[in-house]
Amino acid sequence: ELNITAVTFESREGVTVTDASNKILRVNQSFTDITGYTNEEAIGKTPAMLQSGRHDKEFYRKMWQILERDRFWSGEVWNRNKKGHIYPEWLTITAVLGPEGQITNYVGIFSDISERKAGEEQLRKLTAHIQTAREEEKTRIAREIHDDLGGTLTALKMETYRLQGKLRGIEQAAPLLELVESMTQLIDNAVGVTRRVISDLHPGIIDDLGLV
């Protein structure tokens, strides 16, 4: 048991052992490396010495509520080191029970997850950049379809209307008029497909509501 305890205290994670009233009895070297507080500076105080102010009373109330119920709590906490730097850590607290089932100690094990959080933020920004670039490309394609293909289809439809006007009233042109009407229907179908493609690429509501 002493060897296991020694190995635990030599781990890269910070370790805090408190009594049942949450007063610190001992911390390991990693605790000092992460927080800046030595074993002597921490003994007799509570882990509240590390609070950053980012969590409200309700956060800690729920934490202790879960600890009392499950004898275990794990989650992300923002703490403040001795130099005043606020950092994120992943904290696990386990209650140690005595022979009668009463809580005698709490063991807190935590690790600084600043690098992981920074990586997550970089990934979030990269994802947002890719998404923005993708939307810009889709918008550009939608505009080109609207301006080029849409303009061409509109011109074709106007020409068919002109042709229909010239052919109406000419009895011999009846077969041609039917053909022009069929062409007009095809153009209308193409216009409908074009509008749908443009809407799928870049819905107008995005611009109407000012959404990025």
Side-chain angles (χ1 to χ4, degrees), residues 65-160:
Q65 188 178 52
I66 294 172
L67 259 174
E68 290 176 5
R69 184 191 67 201
D70 302 335
R71 304 296 193 248
F72 177 86
W73 184 89
S74 182
E76 184 179 301
V77 177
W78 288 83
N79 274 341
R80 187 190 304 271
N81 65 19
K82 187 176 180 179
K83 293 182 178 180
H85 174 68
I86 296 175
Y87 63 94
E89 66 179 37
W90 189 261
L91 171 64
T92 298
I93 305 174
T94 305
V96 180
L97 304 182
E100 304 298 325
Q102 78 281 12
I103 295 176
T104 60
N105 302 90
Y106 292 101
V107 177
I109 300 176
F110 65 94
S111 56
D112 187 339
I113 56 173
S114 298
E115 291 185 3
R116 192 190 81 185
K117 295 288 286 186
E120 289 174 354
E121 179 62 16
Q122 288 181 343
L123 181 60
R124 187 193 66 77
K125 289 181 178 178
L126 178 60
T127 302
H129 174 73
I130 292 172
Q131 184 65 23
T132 299
R134 183 179 298 159
E135 286 301 320
E136 289 175 350
E137 182 65 11
K138 287 164 66 177
T139 302
R140 183 188 65 79
I141 294 171
R143 285 174 180 165
E144 288 185 359
I145 292 174
H146 177 273
D147 295 343
D148 297 338
L149 183 57
T152 300
L153 290 171
T154 301
L156 282 172
K157 191 167 184 180
M158 291 173 66
E159 290 299 321
T160 56

Side-chain angles (χ1 to χ4, degrees), residues 39-80:
N39 187 62
E40 291 72 20
E41 290 173 319
I43 289 176
K45 297 183 175 64
T46 71
M49 65 187 287
L50 302 173
Q51 288 182 9
S52 65
R54 285 201 178 189
H55 304 290
D56 56 17
K57 292 181 180 179
E58 182 64 14
F59 174 85
Y60 294 105
R61 188 190 69 78
K62 288 182 178 179
M63 174 194 290
W64 283 103
Q65 188 178 52
I66 294 172
L67 259 174
E68 290 176 5
R69 184 191 67 201
D70 302 335
R71 304 296 193 248
F72 177 86
W73 184 89
S74 182
E76 184 179 301
V77 177
W78 288 83
N79 274 341
R80 187 190 304 271

